[in-house]
Amino acid sequence: MDKKKVAVPLVCHGHSRPVVDLFYSPITPDGFFLISASKDSSPMLRNGETGDWVGTFEGHKGAVWSCCLDTNALRAASGSADFSAKLWDALTGDELHSFEHKHIVRACTFSEDAHLLLTGGVEKILRIFDLNRPEAPPSEVDNSPGSIRTVAWLHSDQTVLSSCTEIGGVRLWDVRSGKIVQTLETKSPVTSAEVSRDGRYITTADGSTVKFWDANHFGLVKSYDMPCNVESASLEPKFGNKFVAGGEDMWIHVFDFHTGEQTGCNKGHHGPVHCLRFSPEGESYASGSEDGTIRIWQMGPTSHDENDSVPGNGTTGKVKVSADDIAQKIEGFHISGEGETTEKEIATDA
């Protein structure tokens, strides 16, 4: 009897607590990179193609809820339950600045030009920090109706969007006036909001629904019911013809964007899926879970026998940037030995 053929992901170990956010950099001269946020308090940087561990950003004293890289993957930022957002040098791992808040920071993201950092959290305040003047007070928008869960930039940094932890909808704010210009209505709180690479769509996950919105005219383009409550969804960036969604059933579901038909279902996580993001060219996507692992799944036709496993430090046959190349470039950034995966000890949760 033939064995069932299934997709086999690269499995990236290292976090000791649930993985709650993932972010891919654009393609840089050194390849592309993946940063992960975890409740273990230590964001990790990886080679986005191979999953190889590059380094760990050490300094937070509570769960890290959000992480991002700037356009050139030279700086990273993270938002934490220790009431701070931190700016990091992504080449050395050094902390460049800590932006203090008065409560938990749930979301952070760089502007397109990488000069600004947007944060939001339990304080119900959107803050915009000028990274050229990190000591200067931030611009603030303080009339969010609830605790902020997600934030993103769009319209060449002229507009920001946010969603709330307990309230449905996505609010779009004019950066100059600080006023809400549009609300995208949803029945349930939006747990994931992603602006497509070409700026056409906003992808949201709320409850058991994934919606796609016109990012310029704000109309609802498509809405699909999911087989379970989903926490995250991501649209394939190159062709825009597929999307993935994951949540409480521990599986990653692949759908046709135009019809909503499920075309694949990838199993492997041992806990709910908290975050999903496509790589910059859409050839793979990463998932982060309550089980503390990151899994990188290929979109291509490659299949293997069920129960096969490929470690995150294994070879994939098309490595653009080797771990040695990165190690030579990044000095003093907690580089592990060749082929090793660093396990982090459990840190403070909040």
Side-chain angles (χ1 to χ4, degrees):
M1 192 169 79
D2 290 340
K3 288 185 178 180
K4 184 181 179 183
K5 297 291 185 179
V6 294
V8 177
L10 296 168
V11 182
C12 307
H13 298 280
H15 285 298
S16 59
R17 300 292 309 282
V19 177
V20 292
D21 195 24
L22 293 167
F23 185 94
Y24 275 104
S25 77
I27 294 175
T28 76
D30 298 309
F32 61 94
F33 298 89
L34 175 66
I35 188 171
S36 55
S38 168
K39 291 183 181 180
D40 66 8
S41 82
S42 300
M44 289 186 177
L45 186 69
R46 297 178 184 275
N47 178 312
E49 187 165 20
T50 66
D52 288 335
W53 179 81
V54 174
T56 299
F57 300 98
E58 297 179 338
H60 278 299
K61 294 179 171 59
V64 176
W65 287 106
S66 181
C67 59
C68 57
L69 293 162
D70 69 8
T71 307
N72 297 311
L74 297 177
R75 292 178 299 178
S78 52
S80 172
D82 65 7
F83 295 12
S84 77
K86 292 186 185 293
L87 180 68
W88 309 88
D89 185 320
L91 298 181
T92 66
D94 294 336
E95 181 181 316
L96 299 176
H97 197 82
S98 183
F99 300 101
E100 300 307 314
H101 294 63
K102 295 175 183 174
H103 216 303
I104 294 167
V105 182
R106 283 299 303 265
C108 65
T109 183
F110 287 102
S111 59
E112 188 178 325
D113 63 12
H115 294 317
L116 305 172
L117 181 69
L118 171 66
T119 68
V122 178
E123 284 183 86
K124 306 180 184 179
I125 298 171
L126 289 165
R127 290 185 171 91
I128 299 174
F129 295 91
D130 184 344
L131 301 181
N132 296 318
R133 299 184 304 132
E135 302 292 345
S139 303
E140 293 187 356
V141 178
D142 60 2
N143 54 342
S144 174
S147 173
I148 296 165
R149 172 69 181 264
T150 67
V151 295
W153 298 87
L154 64 165
H155 302 156
S156 301
D157 304 334
Q158 298 301 306
T159 309
V160 299
L161 65 78
S162 68
S163 70
C164 296
T165 305
E166 305 293 340
I167 304 168
V170 173
R171 281 143 209 93
L172 295 126
W173 310 78
D174 182 275
V175 171
R176 287 163 293 189
S177 68
K179 290 182 167 46
I180 297 174
V181 294
Q182 187 77 26
T183 299
L184 312 179
E185 300 290 351
T186 64
K187 290 182 180 178
S188 303
V190 171
T191 51
S192 170
E194 174 191 80
V195 180
S196 63
R197 188 178 70 176
D198 60 10
R200 289 179 62 193
Y201 298 113
I202 300 167
T203 304
T204 62
D206 72 288
S208 60
T209 307
V210 172
K211 294 182 174 69
F212 299 92
W213 310 81
D214 186 311
N216 296 302
H217 303 289
F218 309 125
L220 180 61
V221 179
K222 294 183 182 296
S223 178
Y224 296 123
D225 291 332
M226 297 289 107
C228 68
N229 281 338
V230 294
E231 195 169 334
S232 188
S234 185
L235 179 64
E236 193 279 325
K238 192 169 185 179
F239 302 108
N241 57 355
K242 303 273 186 187
F243 71 93
V244 291
E248 66 182 17
D249 69 356
M250 301 185 281
W251 301 344
I252 293 99
H253 302 269
V254 185
F255 297 91
D256 183 286
F257 169 76
H258 300 289
T259 66
E261 178 187 356
Q262 182 167 314
T263 59
C265 181
N266 291 324
K267 305 174 183 180
H269 281 298
H270 302 290
V273 176
H274 293 310
C275 43
L276 279 168
R277 286 295 177 257
F278 266 102
S279 64
E281 287 296 307
E283 73 279 7
S284 62
Y285 57 91
S287 57
S289 167
E290 183 74 17
D291 65 16
T293 67
I294 301 162
R295 292 168 191 258
I296 299 176
W297 310 81
Q298 297 298 317
M299 282 296 284
T302 305
S303 63
H304 301 265
D305 290 337
E306 193 166 16
N307 299 323
D308 284 357
S309 63
V310 182
N313 298 71
T315 58
T316 62
K318 54 169 192 172
V319 180
K320 291 178 185 172
V321 185
S322 72
D324 290 340
D325 291 339
I326 299 172
Q328 290 171 8
K329 179 179 179 183
I330 306 173
E331 299 177 0
F333 186 10
H334 315 295
I335 298 299
S336 66
E338 184 177 353
E340 294 177 356
T341 300
T342 300
E343 295 286 342
K344 299 297 299 171
E345 293 183 3
I346 294 178
T348 305
D349 194 358

